Amino acid sequence: MEVMSTDRYIERVTSREAAVKRPATIREVAALAGVSVSTVSNALAGRRSVSGESSARVRAAAHRLGYRPGSGAHTPRTSTRHAVGLIVPDAQNPFFAQIAHGVETVAQSLGWAVFLASANLDDAREADYLDRMAGAADGVLVCSTSGHTDQVQHMIDSGIAVVACDERLAVAGAGGVFSDDLAAGRLAAAHLLARGARRIAMICGPEHLTTARARRTGFRAELQAGGRSMPPWRSLASDYTLDGGRWATDQILASDPRVDAIFCTNDLQAVGAAQALRQAGREVPGGVMLIGVDGIAWGELTEPSLTSVARHPDRLGAEAARLLIQMASGEADARETVLPVSLVERDSTRSGVLAGGAETGDSAGNRGGSRGSGGEGGGGSPRDDAGTSGGRSDNRSDIQGAGGVGDLRVPGCDARVTRGPA
């Protein structure tokens, strides 16, 4: 493999630019200036403190390459390309594949094209795609996990329509289409409590993601409302991936082998958790109940099928595309839409017998809150999740019925319960 110096790399880049008449990219400016992509964005946007020397190198490199942020982009009210960009963090994740399907369906029906780019969970790659999309599309739909807020803000300030989807971005002037992630966490907790779970664990997502924080907050709030607490050894953060779910489940079982339910903050984690539980000889749902968030199509195909709080990614993509095209056409201003979630109950939380003889489902609903002194983890074992109230009350006015999941109602949660095929 040829090893090139920075100067040789830029010489080749500029030669190619001259040949194909393509504008330079932010990554090429960064390479020439010897700084990071984010430093280029900050220096040109003037949004963060960048040293005078670095700023001078960035501007000199930009001038040499003829780089302009969002070069060739038109303002939203004079769009001519009838094309939008969609940047997702990982196209192999079925959730984002379903978002892309929703985007493409709406765009095609309106006569617009879609340019799809997958960052493959690489922040630099995402920054590069943001730059390229700014010069190739009338608007950009961003499903970002990196938080390139300065670069996105500069795109907006340059007149490019931007809509954030799934994860929120701290920028001004962008539209947004999101799920009610707080309600997703609450609905998952209410479902597990109604099913009689006692020793509940949680696998959170990465802390910097707004979706992960909201689902965690909602889940803990609903547990607390039900008179439960969650000890720290039963709550771990991991990536939104299969490997993340496997790793976190192994850690949870090692710290508390008697866990009887796991809430995963996305479905890929839950599929990985199911694999780890199977490897550990734990049955689902007989030994451990399992619930995820997202509602991806895989959930119907796993064994057992996966209970999930569905966020309806097709609809997320469709609504985001509709808003972006309206903004790019000058027909709408930026606005935020939060879509409701719904519980899809499948086999991974259906009635069975938990480890240690604890009952689940409707039979658990009449159990009340009493427990014997040796009921959950005698000796040095971690204690039961029940708070000072002596356990969850199954007569809460916001959860109708004695464990009857079909009548589940969670305050502040606009959601419905759907029973999947047996």
Side-chain angles (χ1 to χ4, degrees):
M1 177 182 293
E2 180 184 4
V3 178
M4 291 185 290
S5 66
T6 300
D7 287 343
R8 173 62 180 144
Y9 170 75
I10 295 300
E11 180 182 348
R12 175 172 293 186
V13 168
T14 52
S15 297
R16 187 183 71 232
E17 291 292 328
V20 302
K21 307 296 184 183
R22 179 181 65 76
T25 68
I26 194 170
R27 181 177 288 184
E28 291 161 353
V29 175
L32 178 57
V35 298
S36 68
V37 168
S38 61
T39 298
V40 173
S41 178
N42 294 333
L44 296 180
R47 296 190 179 278
R48 289 184 184 172
S49 176
V50 178
S51 71
E53 180 184 356
S54 295
S55 181
R57 290 206 312 271
V58 167
R59 294 184 183 282
H63 178 74
R64 175 178 173 182
L65 295 174
Y67 171 77
R68 290 189 300 117
S71 58
H74 293 258
T75 64
R77 299 187 183 278
T78 58
S79 59
T80 59
R81 296 178 179 85
H82 287 86
V84 294
L86 169 61
I87 302 176
V88 299
D90 182 9
Q92 295 185 89
N93 184 330
F95 179 80
F96 294 110
Q98 289 176 249
I99 282 183
H101 179 265
V103 171
E104 197 277 335
T105 298
V106 167
Q108 196 224 21
S109 72
L110 297 175
W112 287 58
V114 179
F115 302 143
L116 172 65
S118 174
N120 290 342
L121 303 176
D122 183 327
D123 290 359
R125 194 173 195 176
E126 181 181 298
D128 188 36
Y129 280 138
L130 283 168
D131 189 65
R132 291 171 184 265
M133 291 290 190
D138 298 312
V140 182
L141 199 161
V142 183
C143 301
S144 176
T145 58
S146 66
H148 286 295
T149 54
D150 291 323
Q151 191 175 358
V152 173
Q153 186 67 64
H154 193 78
M155 291 170 62
I156 296 170
D157 294 343
S158 300
I160 300 165
V162 174
V163 170
C165 183
D166 185 41
E167 297 288 347
R168 297 174 183 271
L169 290 173
V171 295
V177 179
F178 313 105
S179 298
D180 191 343
D181 289 295
L182 191 69
R186 296 195 63 178
L187 192 57
H191 180 66
L192 292 179
L193 292 176
R195 279 302 186 199
R198 297 181 180 181
R199 302 176 74 87
I200 302 173
M202 173 169 56
I203 301 177
C204 308
E207 177 64 24
H208 72 282
L209 299 182
T210 59
T211 55
R213 297 197 301 271
R215 293 169 205 172
R216 180 192 63 201
T217 299
F219 191 78
R220 286 188 177 277
E222 189 63 24
L223 288 184
Q224 185 176 16
R228 298 297 187 90
S229 61
M230 180 183 295
W233 56 84
R234 286 198 229 129
S235 177
L236 286 177
S238 74
D239 293 335
Y240 279 156
T241 61
L242 294 170
D243 286 342
R246 282 190 289 257
W247 172 83
T249 300
D250 287 340
Q251 301 302 309
I252 288 170
L253 293 178
S255 64
D256 190 350
R258 300 182 66 194
V259 161
D260 61 26
I262 300 177
F263 166 54
C264 299
T265 50
N266 92 333
D267 282 349
L268 286 185
Q269 287 178 335
V271 174
Q275 294 172 345
L277 289 167
R278 188 179 304 112
Q279 186 69 25
R282 302 293 297 275
E283 292 185 2
V284 177
V288 180
M289 290 186 288
L290 195 59
I291 185 170
V293 175
D294 276 345
I296 62 175
W298 285 10
E300 296 182 76
L301 306 177
T302 58
E303 182 58 43
S305 57
L306 179 65
T307 294
S308 180
V309 180
R311 299 199 297 138
H312 312 291
D314 273 286
R315 185 183 174 192
L316 270 175
E319 294 295 334
R322 190 171 288 110
L323 174 58
L324 180 63
I325 290 171
Q326 290 173 347
M327 290 172 58
S329 301
E331 299 173 0
D333 294 325
R335 65 177 183 269
E336 180 177 301
T337 301
V338 178
L339 301 179
V341 297
S342 60
L343 177 71
V344 179
E345 182 195 4
R346 298 193 181 98
D347 291 341
S348 66
T349 58
R350 283 211 168 104
S351 299
V353 178
L354 295 175
E359 62 274 6
T360 67
D362 294 353
S363 61
N366 296 316
R367 170 177 44 80
S370 62
R371 290 180 176 83
S373 60
E376 284 284 329
S381 302
R383 63 187 294 272
D384 177 54
D385 288 346
T388 57
S389 62
R392 177 179 59 86
S393 169
D394 290 304
N395 295 317
R396 285 179 55 203
S397 60
D398 52 5
I399 299 180
Q400 305 296 326
V405 182
D407 295 323
L408 198 61
R409 297 291 185 273
V410 180
C413 176
D414 179 13
R416 68 181 186 276
V417 178
T418 302
R419 295 185 185 275

